[in-house]
Amino acid sequence: MTRAQAIAHAQDYFDTGAFKSDLGRLIAMPTESQNPDRAPVLTEYLEREMRPLFEGLGFECRILHHPKAKGPFLFAQRIEGESLPTIFGYGHGDVIRGLDAQWSEGLSPWTLTERDGRWYGRGVVDNKGQHVININALRAVLESRGKLGFNAKYLIEMGEESGSPGLRELCADEAELFRADVLVASDGPRLNAERPTVFLGARGVITFDLSIVAREGGHHSGNWGGILSDPAIQLAHAIASITSPTGQIRIHEWVPKELPRAVREAVSDCVIDGGPDGPVIDPGWGEPDLSPAEQVFGWCSFDVLAMKSGVPETPVNAVPPSAWARCALRFVVGIDPKDVVPALRRHLDRHGFKMVEIIMPGAERFGATRLDPEDDWVRFTLASIARSTNKKPALLPNLGGSLPNDIFAEVLGLKTIWVPHSYPGCSQHAPDEHVPVELAREALGLMAGLYWDIGSGEAPPV
């Protein structure tokens, strides 16, 4: 069998309707890790679906647990030879809440539905569809060549949508079991639906609350306005001091010293486009003199996620007693995550906002990571995808969003290469999550080609 036949075999699996049938069965499982009532379904996903799938490919499987985790983990491995490279795969079977009532008429988060060239359902891109594409691309290579030509290890977790609690500790505890050379995984979006994409890490994220509690209870604004401090005004000014009116970050510890040359070159031909369902980019927002791609993939961003003071639903004529905001900093390699909150404290104190309390909500944080864009494995992956698709893939030094890549890069010491099978307008985490049908078909072929090339003996040394 040849490389072209392996790719065709993967796409035949799609064309016969078998992939759609398999994916539909997974979508029907409401694996919401934020909902304690769904705990049995998290285990069922691994035991009923993932274990038989891997064991059918000759993988040895075991269920792993960690006391911090929201659900179990499935670890699967197929070892073909000590001298061969070992590729580590990853995916998550849990999904964000279904939000059933908010989906468009005729659509349900738990029923795979085809409409206008798209498949709709919770998890079609985040992340059930993506790891099922990769596993069945492995199948296509195995059935075509009779072997992978490399060692494969795979981890499926069931708590990513809750911040991956326990994943870091599990990887530390099982470092020898998980030992591998390169992570090849899929999550997040492509640059756009038409262009295959590779990204090499992720921006980190730290979420925190800013709060002012001035006194107990509100007081009539006619009798007390002007002589009682207004926490909402104070907090608004405090937040405004963090960026310019156009969103440029003013805390120097929160931005990199420079945009590395390799990063700038990698994104030089990348155009951010969410498609017809995506938002329109606001020119002039953020860091001056950076392109939109440079800002998202090479710089840091600060956002206010929510704010509250008084009772917005039923406002009254009273000076509010308190104000609150939840904020997030997404940061790139070069920012010291341990200094993010102390730097904010210094900044607020310096500007006269000592009354603002910084509260950490206790959510899991992801660090910033980025494999060298000039690494030989990056060049190898890009060349393989280009050969399979006849398209020049986009290379993103890191995803604009955040995922637990720092665990794989730092705890397990892996080179990290991500090949996403989604696009920016997919509505992940929102109602009407979907994937373009042709994107999924193309992804099966390009992953079969990549796995074939890794097992051909021509992969870079590790």
Side-chain angles (χ1 to χ4, degrees):
M1 296 287 279
T2 65
R3 181 183 194 274
Q5 288 171 318
I7 293 174
H9 187 40
Q11 294 180 331
D12 283 346
Y13 165 66
F14 185 95
D15 294 340
T16 61
F19 175 76
K20 183 180 181 181
S21 176
D22 289 345
L23 181 58
R25 194 171 61 254
L26 302 181
I27 298 304
M29 303 180 73
T31 51
E32 302 165 305
S33 60
Q34 316 87 43
N35 183 351
D37 294 338
R38 301 299 197 189
V41 189
L42 303 183
T43 299
E44 185 182 4
Y45 185 86
L46 298 183
E47 289 285 11
R48 194 183 80 186
E49 296 292 344
M50 293 295 104
R51 182 193 284 270
L53 178 57
F54 279 109
E55 290 180 341
L57 303 181
F59 281 70
E60 298 176 0
C61 297
R62 67 177 75 176
I63 300 294
L64 303 174
H65 298 272
H66 192 277
K68 288 185 64 176
K70 288 282 188 178
F73 301 81
L74 175 75
F75 175 70
Q77 66 176 356
R78 178 187 169 100
I79 305 300
E80 295 190 354
E82 292 184 3
S83 63
L84 298 175
T86 300
I87 306 302
F88 195 92
Y90 163 81
H92 64 91
D94 68 315
V95 296
I96 205 74
R97 289 184 182 274
L99 306 175
D100 304 47
Q102 300 177 34
W103 286 58
S104 296
E105 184 177 355
L107 299 179
S108 164
W110 316 122
T111 302
L112 185 66
T113 304
E114 184 169 352
R115 179 181 293 180
D116 299 327
R118 297 171 170 179
W119 287 340
Y120 289 82
R122 179 63 83 220
V124 291
V125 292
D126 194 16
N127 174 259
K128 294 176 180 179
Q130 300 215 36
H131 62 255
V132 171
I133 283 172
N134 290 2
I135 296 167
N136 282 285
L138 289 170
R139 179 200 296 279
V141 172
L142 265 172
E143 293 178 350
S144 299
R145 186 156 54 192
K147 61 180 181 179
L148 292 175
F150 57 90
N151 302 319
K153 298 183 178 183
Y154 222 106
L155 184 68
I156 304 290
E157 75 158 313
M158 301 303 293
E160 195 272 350
E161 297 295 3
S162 297
S164 293
L167 177 61
R168 185 179 305 275
E169 292 82 0
L170 182 76
C171 287
D173 293 345
E174 303 289 354
E176 181 58 29
L177 179 65
F178 294 172
R179 185 166 56 87
D181 300 304
V182 182
L183 172 83
V184 177
S186 300
D187 202 350
R190 292 178 169 190
L191 183 66
N192 56 57
E194 291 74 30
R195 190 174 183 187
T197 299
V198 172
F199 65 85
L200 309 177
R203 287 201 292 186
V205 61
I206 293 179
T207 303
F208 52 90
D209 295 351
L210 299 180
S211 175
I212 300 175
V213 179
R215 61 191 68 86
E216 291 188 9
H219 295 273
H220 194 285
S221 58
N223 298 329
W224 297 99
I227 58 176
L228 292 182
S229 63
D230 188 318
I233 293 175
Q234 290 175 313
L235 188 58
H237 279 278
I239 292 173
S241 75
I242 295 173
T243 76
S244 72
T246 55
Q248 182 183 11
I249 295 174
R250 286 173 164 166
I251 301 176
H252 67 86
E253 297 94 338
W254 282 15
V255 293
K257 295 180 179 179
E258 62 178 358
L259 187 67
R261 175 194 56 80
V263 174
R264 190 182 296 273
E265 290 178 357
V267 302
S268 61
D269 66 344
C270 294
V271 178
I272 296 177
D273 180 9
D277 299 326
V280 177
I281 294 173
D282 293 312
W285 184 261
E287 185 70 19
D289 303 322
L290 294 184
S291 70
E294 289 169 345
Q295 294 206 94
V296 172
F297 305 119
W299 211 251
C300 304
S301 64
F302 169 73
D303 290 287
V304 179
L305 307 180
M307 294 181 68
K308 183 176 181 180
S309 186
V311 184
E313 299 81 5
T314 55
V316 296
N317 292 318
V319 180
S322 62
W324 167 91
R326 175 154 294 179
C327 308
L329 176 72
R330 293 195 183 269
F331 60 95
V332 295
V333 171
I335 305 303
D336 180 0
K338 295 180 181 178
D339 194 41
V340 167
V341 173
L344 175 60
R345 182 73 272 164
R346 296 191 297 269
H347 170 87
L348 293 173
D349 291 351
R350 192 166 56 244
H351 287 78
F353 298 113
K354 292 186 178 182
M355 79 290 290
V356 177
E357 183 181 5
I358 305 171
I359 304 169
M360 305 305 296
E364 286 279 318
R365 306 177 212 171
F366 295 138
T369 51
R370 179 192 294 147
L371 178 63
D372 182 358
E374 298 178 343
D375 186 272
D376 287 344
W377 271 88
V378 177
R379 295 193 179 100
F380 172 82
T381 302
L382 294 172
S384 173
I385 293 174
R387 181 181 175 191
S388 298
T389 62
N390 292 316
K391 298 177 182 179
K392 180 184 178 183
L395 174 60
L396 308 180
N398 48 257
L399 185 67
S402 301
L403 43 73
N405 191 68
D406 61 316
I407 299 173
F408 306 121
E410 297 170 3
V411 177
L412 297 181
L414 300 176
K415 296 174 183 280
T416 56
I417 294 175
W418 295 79
V419 185
H421 310 320
S422 180
Y423 80 111
C426 68
S427 299
Q428 70 179 81
H429 289 198
D432 297 355
E433 179 181 343
H434 64 273
V435 63
V437 174
E438 283 304 312
L439 191 160
R441 185 180 189 276
E442 182 181 67
L444 270 165
L446 71 86
M447 290 305 298
L450 177 57
Y451 289 137
W452 180 278
D453 291 342
I454 293 173
S456 68
E458 299 177 2
V462 291

